[in-house]
Amino acid sequence: MSIGELQLKLHEAIDSITDRSKLEVLNKLLTSDKGPFSQMSHKEYIEAIEKSLQQIKDGHFVSVEDLEKESDTW
């Protein structure tokens, strides 16, 4: 696949996304200078865990069943 073909495929994929949170994650990935797998400090690690636990308590998560249904459309 040429660069032009890959760019077109990515443009089409991005244009089809209607979920704001997915677009925000993609934007952060593309504009971050850290990259998706950069090291965290101990403090950042603890804060990320606490944030995740709060999201779970608030009901902001996807069940395995819903994830399986969603993955069928990929």
Side-chain angles (χ1 to χ4, degrees):
M1 178 181 305
S2 71
I3 291 176
E5 291 169 327
L6 182 56
Q7 288 173 326
L8 179 61
K9 187 174 183 176
L10 289 170
H11 281 284
E12 290 171 351
I14 291 169
D15 289 343
S16 71
I17 298 172
T18 58
D19 183 330
R20 181 178 183 84
S21 63
K22 287 180 184 178
L23 289 170
E24 288 173 350
V25 168
L26 183 57
N27 183 55
K28 187 171 184 174
L29 175 67
L30 294 172
T31 58
S32 175
D33 59 346
K34 285 187 168 184
F37 304 109
S38 61
Q39 278 190 319
M40 295 180 151
S41 68
H42 185 262
K43 181 181 177 184
E44 290 172 321
Y45 179 70
I46 297 298
E47 288 172 352
I49 292 172
E50 289 172 350
K51 180 180 177 183
S52 296
L53 290 172
Q54 188 60 50
Q55 288 173 334
I56 292 168
K57 286 179 186 177
D58 293 343
H60 300 290
F61 60 89
V62 177
S63 69
V64 172
E65 294 82 12
D66 289 342
L67 183 58
E68 288 173 347
K69 288 176 190 173
E70 183 180 338
S71 69
D72 288 339
T73 64
W74 296 346

